[in-house]
């Protein structure tokens, strides 16, 4: 296997796809999320974590990665109504909130993204 499709994390190789999403979501942990975020040039704060944990919970509850629309409609309780909009979420995840949050959360890329 090509080593560019793996993360070297605590002496273990973590498999990822060609876009950088984990192949096995069971490999995910908070330290790995921080490492992925660093590679994405994101310095995680509490609102990032709220979105990351939200998309993980959503994925494991419904067996689907949430789209941007799903995130905006559902995350109001976690981050507040004033922050549950695309402008704020793009400030947190500039390459696309659904895509980057899912990558950092260790779940598959959403099927539909903005």
């Amino acid at each position: 296997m090509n080593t560019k499709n793996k993360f070297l994390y605590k002496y273990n190789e973590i498999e990822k796809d060609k876009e950088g999403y984990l192949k096995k979501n069971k490999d995910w942990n908070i330290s790995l999320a921080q490492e992925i975020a660093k590679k994405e040039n994101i310095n995680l704060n509490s609102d990032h974590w709220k979105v990351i944990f939200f998309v993980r919970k959503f994925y494991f509850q419904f067996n689907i990665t949430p789209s941007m629309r799903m995130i905006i409609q559902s995350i109001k309780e976690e981050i507040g109504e004033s922050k549950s909009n695309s402008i704020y979420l793009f400030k947190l995840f500039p390459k696309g909130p659904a895509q980057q949050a899912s990558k950092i959360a260790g779940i598959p890329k959403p099927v539909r993204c903005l």
Side-chain angles (χ1 to χ4, degrees):
M1 176 175 274
N2 189 339
T3 56
K4 73 179 183 178
N5 289 336
K6 294 183 180 182
F7 289 111
L8 188 57
Y9 172 73
K10 292 194 180 191
Y11 308 108
N12 295 315
E13 290 183 342
I14 305 295
E15 288 186 66
K16 61 181 183 168
D17 68 14
K18 63 183 180 188
E19 295 180 87
Y21 291 82
L22 298 185
K23 286 192 173 184
K24 300 175 192 166
N25 56 41
K26 68 180 176 113
D27 289 336
W28 186 87
N29 61 52
I30 289 173
S31 296
L32 181 57
Q34 291 169 328
E35 188 174 320
I36 296 167
K38 187 183 288 186
K39 290 177 189 279
E40 293 287 313
N41 296 313
I42 294 176
N43 186 19
L44 297 173
N45 65 35
S46 63
D47 283 347
H48 287 101
W49 285 112
K50 289 174 186 174
V51 175
I52 290 165
F53 288 127
F54 170 81
V55 297
R56 282 186 64 78
K57 180 180 173 184
F58 189 101
Y59 176 77
F60 290 112
Q61 184 174 356
F62 298 109
N63 200 32
I64 185 171
T65 303
S67 67
M68 179 70 174
R69 179 174 285 175
M70 291 174 188
I71 293 171
I72 290 172
Q73 291 176 345
S74 304
I75 199 152
K76 291 176 183 167
E77 286 184 33
E78 274 77 358
I79 65 173
E81 192 162 341
S82 65
K83 295 179 180 179
S84 60
N85 60 65
S86 60
I87 294 168
Y88 183 71
L89 293 172
F90 267 99
K91 286 180 183 177
L92 294 176
F93 303 98
K95 293 181 184 173
Q99 293 169 317
Q100 276 188 308
S102 297
K103 184 183 284 189
I104 296 167
I107 60 174
K109 180 179 178 180
V111 176
R112 295 192 295 154
C113 299
L114 285 178

